[in-house]
Amino acid sequence: QCAARIPQARAVLQVLERCPRQPTKGPFPVIVVEGLDATGKTTVTESVKDALNAVLLRSPPPCISQWRTIFDNEPAPIRRTFYAAGNYILASEIAKASAQSPVIVDRYWHSTAAYAIATEIAGKVEDLPPAHHELYQWPEDLLKPDLVLLLTLSPEERIRRLQGRGLEKTKEEAELETNNLFRQKVEESYRRMVNPACQEVDASPSKEEVLKTVLQLIKKHCSL
């Protein structure tokens, strides 16, 4: 409906239409790394890729990420739709890659859902939908990963790392920095996700220690 006003929306839909419906995962494991910005996702995903000789994919995928800034400045429903479409486009890439090697994914459906829930649900953390609500369930028509890791940091350490990076932040990341309640709702939404649930990883130790923990979890939950 917004394609007339946002030409890039039509381009996103065209990419989505070319993707197979309900692509099938290959025999190799698919591991998703989630977390707020500055929790170390880039470092972890790059390190795990090298350790497992895996393919690294990111959400939104490169074929549409060029338009991310445009959609980040749109109202929440349009913004969420862009990221949701990105997940289904990414699923087709995951299916192809997992036929040949392990796949590491930097964000996927859980982040889209967690930010959407935190944005749409007014009030406090206690006002979020209860655990086991359908909003926390993985979509039946979306390719499912074998393992989802959630990197966590204290709010103080995360802000310190963000300020050290000096990168431009999305509206939602800026809100995470200034709105403690929004951050709490995002993190609690992550924790309520099921099928698959997030395995939490404390990202405050050294890079080497975090990588060691991540690889142990992969070895425990995935067949390599």
Side-chain angles (χ1 to χ4, degrees):
Q1 292 177 349
C2 66
R5 184 172 61 84
I6 312 172
Q8 294 82 1
R10 189 178 303 279
V12 171
L13 290 174
Q14 289 173 345
V15 175
L16 183 60
E17 288 169 358
R18 291 196 295 267
C19 295
R21 296 188 179 221
Q22 292 190 292
T24 303
K25 189 180 82 66
F28 288 89
V30 176
I31 299 111
V32 176
V33 180
E34 294 279 7
L36 306 182
D37 269 10
T39 52
K41 292 189 307 301
T42 300
T43 300
V44 168
T45 52
E46 291 283 357
S47 299
V48 174
K49 179 199 75 171
D50 293 339
L52 301 182
N53 193 25
V55 171
L56 174 56
L57 301 175
R58 290 185 171 88
S59 178
C63 58
I64 65 168
S65 61
Q66 59 187 310
W67 303 311
R68 181 176 183 175
T69 303
I70 294 170
F71 288 95
D72 277 342
N73 290 316
E74 290 295 326
I78 297 176
R79 189 167 65 243
R80 290 296 123 226
T81 301
F82 169 75
Y83 284 101
N87 288 331
Y88 284 89
I89 295 168
L90 182 61
S92 65
E93 298 183 4
I94 293 172
K96 293 177 185 177
S98 61
Q100 304 293 330
S101 67
V103 180
I104 311 301
V105 187
D106 186 341
R107 286 190 170 175
Y108 195 22
W109 179 79
H110 280 356
S111 58
T112 304
Y115 279 84
I117 292 168
T119 300
E120 297 300 324
I121 304 300
K124 300 179 180 179
V125 174
E126 293 76 15
D127 298 313
L128 290 173
H132 308 299
H133 191 280
E134 62 181 8
L135 286 177
Y136 304 119
Q137 300 280 341
W138 190 270
E140 292 183 0
D141 61 345
L142 182 63
L143 186 148
K144 187 185 299 184
D146 297 281
L147 177 65
V148 180
L149 302 172
L150 175 63
L151 304 181
T152 60
L153 277 176
S154 69
E156 297 77 18
E157 174 62 15
R158 199 186 73 84
I159 290 175
R160 186 189 69 79
R161 293 188 185 184
L162 267 177
Q163 292 172 339
R165 285 164 49 174
L167 298 178
E168 183 179 352
K169 295 182 284 290
T170 65
K171 286 184 177 180
E172 288 174 338
E173 282 302 330
E175 187 169 1
L176 284 172
E177 196 166 331
T178 58
N179 188 335
N180 187 50
L181 176 57
F182 182 67
R183 177 189 57 77
Q184 290 176 346
K185 290 196 291 185
V186 170
E187 290 186 328
E188 182 58 29
S189 296
Y190 268 127
R191 293 187 175 102
R192 295 186 185 186
M193 300 292 169
V194 293
N195 192 33
C198 296
Q199 303 287 325
E200 284 195 49
V201 176
D202 180 8
S204 58
S206 67
K207 297 176 184 178
E208 293 76 16
E209 289 180 82
V210 174
L211 176 60
K212 181 180 178 181
T213 300
V214 166
L215 291 175
Q216 288 174 340
L217 284 168
I218 292 173
K219 183 177 179 180
K220 177 181 178 182
H221 293 277
C222 301
S223 298
L224 292 171

